């Protein structure tokens, strides 16, 4: 079905608008592609899990915490980037981040299922989710979907 990315992103922002500590999440949205053909339930699973992970792994030692969602066209693909300035992922952990029950550090807010669910949902779309992140510099997941 045709999915409106603006509506989906706005819904994910309203569902994930605050950190558990009570602070408001700063969202930035740069959507150059607004509509794609996909399964709306699957794309919501992907967005919700990537955004909620960005919130769980925010770096509160930085003066500001933000999450940016942007979309653009590249060849016959819609590229969607979900980027944050959180803790990032250690290089030695990148091979495990999509495994069920994998958690970064001692994060008690995570069950370790979100990235596994996101990867499964993308496989059904079909889409790709390459490995992300630089430790300490945040995380950037890039989702590629056919147009």
């Amino acid at each position: 079905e045709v999915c409106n990315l603006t509506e989906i992103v706005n819904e994910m922002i309203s569902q994930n608008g605050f950190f558990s500590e009570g602070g408001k999440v700063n969202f930035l949205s740069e959507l150059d592609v607004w509509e794609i053909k996909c399964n709306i339930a699957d794309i919501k699973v992907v967005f919700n899990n990537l955004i909620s992970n960005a919130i769980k792994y925010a770096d509160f030692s930085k003066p500001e915490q933000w999450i940016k969602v942007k979309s653009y066209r590249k060849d016959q693909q819609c590229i969607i980037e979900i980027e944050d300035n959180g803790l990032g992922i250690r290089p030695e952990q990148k091979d495990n981040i999509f495994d069920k029950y994998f958690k970064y550090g001692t994060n008690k807010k995570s069950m370790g299922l979100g990235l596994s669910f996101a990867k499964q949902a993308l496989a059904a779309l079909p889409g790709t989710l390459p490995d992300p992140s630089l430790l300490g510099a945040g995380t950037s997941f890039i989702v590629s979907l056919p147009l």
Side-chain angles (χ1 to χ4, degrees), residues 79-142:
I79 308 299
I80 302 165
E81 295 182 23
I82 299 177
E83 179 184 1
D84 65 63
N85 69 335
L87 298 171
I89 299 169
R90 296 176 192 272
E92 66 272 14
Q93 294 177 323
K94 284 187 180 187
D95 291 339
N96 304 103
I97 61 172
F98 297 110
D99 296 346
K100 281 187 178 179
Y101 309 112
F102 178 78
K103 296 188 233 181
Y104 174 79
T106 59
N107 189 329
K108 296 187 183 345
K109 301 172 199 167
S110 176
M111 293 178 56
L113 295 170
L115 291 180
S116 175
F117 289 160
K119 188 170 185 176
Q120 287 175 358
L122 268 173
L125 283 171
T128 60
L129 185 66
D131 291 342
S133 194
L134 291 173
L135 184 63
T139 303
S140 179
F141 282 99
I142 300 171

Coordinates of all heavy atoms in Angstrom, one line a residue, residues 79-142:
I79 N 15.8 6.2 0.5 CA 16.7 6.0 1.6 C 16.2 6.8 2.8 O 15.8 8.0 2.7 CB 18.1 6.6 1.2 CG1 18.6 6.0 -0.1 CG2 19.1 6.4 2.4 CD1 18.8 4.5 -0.1
I80 N 16.1 6.1 3.9 CA 15.6 6.7 5.1 C 16.7 6.6 6.2 O 17.2 5.5 6.5 CB 14.3 6.0 5.6 CG1 13.2 6.1 4.6 CG2 13.8 6.7 7.0 CD1 12.1 5.1 4.8
E81 N 17.2 7.7 6.7 CA 18.2 7.7 7.7 C 17.6 8.1 9.1 O 16.9 9.1 9.2 CB 19.3 8.6 7.4 CG 20.1 8.3 6.1 CD 21.2 9.2 5.8 OE1 21.7 9.9 6.8 OE2 21.6 9.3 4.7
I82 N 17.9 7.3 10.1 CA 17.5 7.6 11.5 C 18.8 7.7 12.2 O 19.5 6.7 12.4 CB 16.6 6.6 12.1 CG1 15.3 6.5 11.2 CG2 16.3 6.9 13.5 CD1 14.3 5.5 11.6
E83 N 19.1 8.9 12.6 CA 20.4 9.3 13.2 C 20.2 9.9 14.6 O 19.2 10.6 14.8 CB 21.2 10.2 12.3 CG 22.5 10.7 12.8 CD 23.1 11.7 11.9 OE1 22.5 12.1 10.8 OE2 24.2 12.2 12.2
D84 N 21.1 9.6 15.5 CA 21.1 10.2 16.8 C 22.5 10.6 17.3 O 23.5 10.2 16.6 CB 20.4 9.3 17.9 CG 21.2 8.1 18.1 OD1 22.4 8.2 18.6 OD2 20.7 7.0 17.8
N85 N 22.6 11.4 18.3 CA 23.9 11.7 18.9 C 24.1 11.0 20.2 O 24.7 11.6 21.1 CB 24.1 13.2 19.0 CG 23.2 13.9 20.0 OD1 22.2 13.3 20.4 ND2 23.6 15.0 20.5
G86 N 23.7 9.8 20.3 CA 23.7 9.0 21.5 C 25.1 8.4 21.8 O 26.1 8.9 21.3
L87 N 25.1 7.3 22.5 CA 26.3 6.6 22.9 C 27.0 5.9 21.8 O 28.2 5.8 21.9 CB 25.9 5.6 24.0 CG 25.3 6.1 25.3 CD1 24.9 4.9 26.1 CD2 26.3 6.9 26.0
G88 N 26.3 5.5 20.7 CA 27.0 4.8 19.7 C 27.1 3.3 20.0 O 26.7 2.9 21.1
I89 N 27.7 2.6 19.1 CA 27.9 1.2 19.3 C 29.4 0.8 19.2 O 30.0 1.2 18.2 CB 27.1 0.4 18.3 CG1 25.6 0.7 18.4 CG2 27.3 -1.1 18.4 CD1 24.7 0.2 17.3
R90 N 29.9 0.0 20.1 CA 31.3 -0.4 20.1 C 31.5 -1.3 18.8 O 30.7 -2.1 18.5 CB 31.7 -1.2 21.3 CG 31.6 -0.4 22.6 CD 31.9 -1.3 23.8 NE 31.5 -0.6 25.0 CZ 32.4 0.2 25.7 NH1 33.6 0.4 25.2 NH2 32.0 0.7 26.8
P91 N 32.7 -1.1 18.2 CA 32.9 -1.9 17.0 C 32.8 -3.4 17.2 O 32.3 -4.2 16.4 CB 34.3 -1.5 16.6 CG 34.5 -0.2 17.2 CD 33.7 -0.1 18.4
E92 N 33.3 -3.9 18.4 CA 33.2 -5.3 18.6 C 31.8 -5.8 18.9 O 31.6 -7.0 18.9 CB 34.1 -5.7 19.8 CG 33.7 -5.1 21.2 CD 34.3 -3.7 21.5 OE1 34.8 -3.0 20.5 OE2 34.2 -3.3 22.6
Q93 N 30.8 -5.0 19.0 CA 29.5 -5.4 19.3 C 28.6 -5.3 18.0 O 27.5 -5.8 18.0 CB 28.8 -4.5 20.4 CG 29.5 -4.7 21.7 CD 28.9 -3.7 22.8 OE1 28.6 -2.6 22.5 NE2 28.8 -4.3 24.0
K94 N 29.1 -4.8 16.9 CA 28.3 -4.6 15.7 C 27.8 -5.9 15.2 O 26.7 -6.0 14.6 CB 29.1 -3.8 14.7 CG 29.2 -2.4 14.9 CD 29.8 -1.7 13.8 CE 29.9 -0.2 14.1 NZ 30.4 0.6 12.9
D95 N 28.6 -7.0 15.3 CA 28.1 -8.3 14.8 C 26.9 -8.8 15.6 O 26.3 -9.8 15.1 CB 29.3 -9.3 14.8 CG 30.4 -8.9 13.8 OD1 30.1 -8.2 12.9 OD2 31.5 -9.4 14.0
N96 N 26.7 -8.3 16.8 CA 25.6 -8.9 17.6 C 24.4 -8.0 17.8 O 23.4 -8.5 18.3 CB 26.2 -9.1 19.0 CG 27.4 -10.0 19.0 OD1 28.5 -9.5 19.1 ND2 27.2 -11.3 18.8
I97 N 24.4 -6.8 17.3 CA 23.3 -5.9 17.6 C 21.9 -6.4 17.0 O 20.9 -5.9 17.6 CB 23.6 -4.5 17.1 CG1 23.7 -4.4 15.6 CG2 24.7 -3.9 17.9 CD1 23.8 -3.0 15.0
F98 N 21.9 -7.2 16.0 CA 20.6 -7.7 15.5 C 20.2 -9.0 16.1 O 19.2 -9.6 15.7 CB 20.7 -7.8 14.0 CG 20.9 -6.4 13.3 CD1 22.1 -6.2 12.7 CD2 19.9 -5.5 13.3 CE1 22.3 -4.9 12.1 CE2 20.1 -4.2 12.7 CZ 21.3 -4.0 12.1
D99 N 21.0 -9.5 17.0 CA 20.6 -10.8 17.7 C 19.6 -10.6 18.7 O 19.6 -9.5 19.4 CB 21.9 -11.4 18.4 CG 23.0 -11.8 17.4 OD1 22.7 -11.9 16.2 OD2 24.1 -12.0 17.9
K100 N 18.6 -11.5 18.9 CA 17.6 -11.4 19.9 C 18.3 -11.4 21.3 O 19.3 -12.1 21.5 CB 16.7 -12.6 19.8 CG 15.6 -12.5 18.8 CD 14.6 -13.6 18.9 CE 13.6 -13.5 17.8 NZ 12.6 -14.5 17.9
Y101 N 17.8 -10.5 22.1 CA 18.2 -10.4 23.5 C 19.6 -9.7 23.7 O 20.1 -9.7 24.8 CB 18.2 -11.7 24.3 CG 16.8 -12.4 24.1 CD1 16.7 -13.6 23.4 CD2 15.7 -11.9 24.6 CE1 15.5 -14.2 23.2 CE2 14.4 -12.5 24.5 CZ 14.4 -13.6 23.7 OH 13.2 -14.3 23.6
F102 N 20.2 -9.2 22.6 CA 21.4 -8.5 22.8 C 21.2 -7.1 23.3 O 20.3 -6.4 22.8 CB 22.2 -8.4 21.4 CG 23.5 -7.6 21.6 CD1 24.6 -8.2 22.1 CD2 23.5 -6.3 21.2 CE1 25.8 -7.5 22.2 CE2 24.7 -5.6 21.4 CZ 25.8 -6.2 21.9
K103 N 21.9 -6.7 24.4 CA 21.8 -5.4 25.0 C 23.2 -4.8 25.0 O 24.1 -5.5 25.3 CB 21.2 -5.5 26.4 CG 19.8 -6.0 26.4 CD 19.3 -5.8 27.9 CE 18.8 -7.1 28.4 NZ 18.2 -7.0 29.7
Y104 N 23.2 -3.5 24.9 CA 24.4 -2.7 25.0 C 24.7 -2.4 26.4 O 23.8 -1.8 27.1 CB 24.3 -1.5 24.1 CG 25.5 -0.5 24.3 CD1 26.6 -0.8 23.6 CD2 25.4 0.6 25.1 CE1 27.7 0.1 23.7 CE2 26.5 1.4 25.2 CZ 27.6 1.2 24.5 OH 28.7 2.0 24.6
G105 N 25.8 -2.8 26.9 CA 26.2 -2.5 28.3 C 25.2 -3.0 29.3 O 24.7 -4.1 29.2
T106 N 24.8 -2.2 30.3 CA 23.9 -2.6 31.3 C 22.6 -1.9 31.2 O 22.0 -1.6 32.3 CB 24.6 -2.4 32.7 OG1 24.8 -1.0 32.8 CG2 25.8 -3.2 32.9
N107 N 22.2 -1.6 30.1 CA 20.9 -0.8 29.9 C 19.7 -1.7 30.3 O 19.4 -2.7 29.7 CB 20.7 -0.5 28.4 CG 19.6 0.5 28.2 OD1 18.6 0.5 28.9 ND2 19.7 1.4 27.2
K108 N 19.1 -1.2 31.4 CA 18.0 -2.0 32.0 C 16.7 -1.6 31.4 O 15.6 -2.2 31.6 CB 17.9 -1.7 33.5 CG 19.2 -2.3 34.2 CD 19.0 -2.2 35.7 CE 20.2 -2.6 36.6 NZ 21.2 -3.4 36.0
K109 N 16.7 -0.6 30.5 CA 15.5 -0.2 29.8 C 15.2 -1.0 28.5 O 14.1 -0.9 27.9 CB 15.6 1.3 29.3 CG 15.8 2.2 30.5 CD 16.1 3.6 29.9 CE 16.8 4.5 31.0 NZ 17.4 5.7 30.4
S110 N 16.1 -1.8 28.2 CA 16.0 -2.6 26.9 C 15.8 -4.1 27.2 O 16.4 -4.6 28.1 CB 17.3 -2.4 26.1 OG 17.3 -3.2 24.9
M111 N 15.0 -4.7 26.3 CA 14.9 -6.2 26.4 C 15.8 -6.9 25.4 O 15.9 -8.1 25.3 CB 13.4 -6.6 26.1 CG 12.5 -6.1 27.2 SD 10.7 -6.5 26.9 CE 10.8 -8.2 26.7
G112 N 16.4 -6.1 24.5 CA 17.3 -6.6 23.5 C 16.6 -7.2 22.3 O 17.1 -8.1 21.6
L113 N 15.4 -6.8 22.0 CA 14.6 -7.3 20.9 C 14.4 -6.4 19.7 O 14.1 -6.8 18.6 CB 13.2 -7.8 21.4 CG 13.3 -9.0 22.4 CD1 11.9 -9.2 23.0 CD2 13.8 -10.2 21.7
G114 N 14.5 -5.1 20.0 CA 14.1 -4.1 19.0 C 14.8 -4.2 17.7 O 14.1 -4.1 16.6
L115 N 16.1 -4.3 17.6 CA 16.8 -4.3 16.4 C 16.6 -5.6 15.6 O 16.5 -5.7 14.4 CB 18.3 -4.1 16.6 CG 18.7 -2.7 17.0 CD1 20.2 -2.6 17.2 CD2 18.2 -1.6 16.0
S116 N 16.4 -6.7 16.4 CA 16.0 -8.0 15.8 C 14.6 -7.9 15.1 O 14.5 -8.3 13.9 CB 16.0 -9.1 16.8 OG 15.5 -10.3 16.3
F117 N 13.7 -7.3 15.8 CA 12.3 -7.1 15.2 C 12.4 -6.2 14.0 O 11.8 -6.4 12.9 CB 11.4 -6.5 16.2 CG 10.9 -7.4 17.3 CD1 10.4 -6.9 18.4 CD2 11.1 -8.8 17.1 CE1 10.0 -7.8 19.5 CE2 10.7 -9.6 18.1 CZ 10.1 -9.1 19.3
A118 N 13.2 -5.1 14.0 CA 13.4 -4.2 12.9 C 13.9 -4.9 11.7 O 13.5 -4.7 10.6 CB 14.2 -3.0 13.3
K119 N 15.0 -5.7 11.9 CA 15.6 -6.4 10.8 C 14.6 -7.4 10.2 O 14.5 -7.5 8.9 CB 16.8 -7.1 11.2 CG 17.6 -7.7 10.1 CD 19.0 -8.2 10.5 CE 19.8 -8.6 9.3 NZ 21.1 -9.0 9.7
Q120 N 13.8 -8.1 11.0 CA 12.8 -9.0 10.4 C 11.7 -8.3 9.6 O 11.3 -8.8 8.6 CB 12.2 -9.8 11.6 CG 13.0 -10.8 12.2 CD 12.4 -11.5 13.4 OE1 11.3 -11.1 13.8 NE2 13.1 -12.4 14.0
A121 N 11.3 -7.2 10.2 CA 10.3 -6.4 9.4 C 10.8 -5.9 8.1 O 10.1 -5.9 7.1 CB 9.8 -5.2 10.3
L122 N 12.0 -5.4 8.1 CA 12.6 -4.9 6.8 C 12.8 -6.1 5.8 O 12.6 -5.8 4.6 CB 14.0 -4.3 7.1 CG 13.9 -2.8 7.3 CD1 15.3 -2.3 7.8 CD2 13.4 -2.1 6.1
A123 N 13.1 -7.2 6.3 CA 13.2 -8.4 5.3 C 11.9 -8.7 4.6 O 11.9 -9.1 3.5 CB 13.7 -9.6 6.1
A124 N 10.8 -8.4 5.3 CA 9.5 -8.6 4.8 C 9.1 -7.5 3.8 O 8.1 -7.7 3.0 CB 8.4 -8.7 5.9
L125 N 9.7 -6.4 3.8 CA 9.2 -5.2 3.0 C 9.5 -5.3 1.5 O 8.6 -4.9 0.8 CB 9.8 -3.9 3.6 CG 9.1 -3.4 4.8 CD1 9.8 -2.3 5.5 CD2 7.7 -3.1 4.5
P126 N 10.5 -5.7 0.9 CA 11.9 -5.9 1.3 C 12.7 -4.6 1.4 O 12.5 -3.7 0.7 CB 12.5 -6.8 0.2 CG 11.8 -6.3 -1.0 CD 10.4 -5.8 -0.6
G127 N 13.6 -4.6 2.4 CA 14.5 -3.5 2.6 C 15.8 -3.9 3.2 O 15.9 -5.1 3.5
T128 N 16.7 -3.0 3.3 CA 18.0 -3.4 3.9 C 18.3 -2.4 5.1 O 17.8 -1.3 5.1 CB 19.2 -3.3 2.9 OG1 19.2 -1.9 2.4 CG2 18.9 -4.2 1.7
L129 N 19.1 -2.9 6.0 CA 19.5 -2.2 7.2 C 21.0 -2.5 7.4 O 21.3 -3.5 8.1 CB 18.6 -2.6 8.4 CG 18.8 -1.9 9.7 CD1 18.3 -0.5 9.6 CD2 18.0 -2.6 10.8
P130 N 21.8 -1.7 6.9 CA 23.3 -1.9 7.0 C 23.7 -1.6 8.5 O 23.0 -1.0 9.2 CB 23.9 -1.0 6.0 CG 23.0 0.1 5.8 CD 21.6 -0.5 6.0
D131 N 24.9 -2.1 8.8 CA 25.5 -1.8 10.1 C 25.8 -0.3 10.3 O 26.2 0.4 9.4 CB 26.8 -2.6 10.3 CG 26.6 -4.1 10.3 OD1 25.5 -4.5 10.6 OD2 27.6 -4.8 10.1
P132 N 25.5 0.1 11.5 CA 25.6 1.6 11.8 C 26.8 2.0 12.7 O 27.6 1.1 13.1 CB 24.3 1.7 12.7 CG 24.3 0.4 13.5 CD 24.8 -0.6 12.5
S133 N 26.9 3.3 13.0 CA 27.4 3.8 14.2 C 28.9 4.1 14.3 O 29.7 3.4 13.7 CB 27.0 2.9 15.4 OG 27.3 3.5 16.6
L134 N 29.2 5.0 15.1 CA 30.6 5.3 15.6 C 30.5 5.5 17.1 O 29.7 6.3 17.6 CB 31.1 6.6 15.0 CG 31.5 6.5 13.5 CD1 31.8 7.9 13.0 CD2 32.6 5.6 13.3
L135 N 31.3 4.8 17.9 CA 31.3 4.9 19.3 C 31.5 6.3 19.8 O 32.4 7.0 19.4 CB 32.3 4.0 19.9 CG 32.3 3.9 21.5 CD1 31.0 3.3 22.0 CD2 33.5 3.1 22.0
G136 N 30.5 6.8 20.6 CA 30.6 8.1 21.2 C 30.1 9.2 20.3 O 29.9 10.3 20.7
A137 N 29.9 8.9 19.0 CA 29.4 9.9 18.0 C 28.0 9.7 17.6 O 27.5 10.4 16.8 CB 30.3 9.9 16.8
G138 N 27.3 8.7 18.3 CA 25.9 8.5 17.9 C 25.8 7.3 17.0 O 26.7 6.6 16.7
T139 N 24.6 7.1 16.5 CA 24.3 6.0 15.7 C 23.4 6.5 14.5 O 22.6 7.3 14.6 CB 23.4 4.9 16.4 OG1 24.2 4.5 17.6 CG2 23.1 3.7 15.6
S140 N 23.7 5.9 13.3 CA 22.9 6.2 12.1 C 22.6 4.9 11.5 O 23.4 4.2 11.0 CB 23.8 7.1 11.2 OG 23.1 7.4 10.0
F141 N 21.3 4.6 11.4 CA 20.8 3.5 10.7 C 20.2 4.0 9.3 O 19.5 5.0 9.3 CB 19.6 2.8 11.4 CG 20.1 1.9 12.5 CD1 20.1 2.4 13.8 CD2 20.6 0.7 12.3 CE1 20.6 1.6 14.9 CE2 21.1 -0.1 13.3 CZ 21.1 0.3 14.6
I142 N 20.5 3.3 8.3 CA 20.1 3.7 6.9 C 19.2 2.5 6.4 O 19.7 1.4 6.3 CB 21.3 3.9 6.0 CG1 22.1 5.1 6.5 CG2 20.8 4.2 4.6 CD1 23.4 5.3 5.8

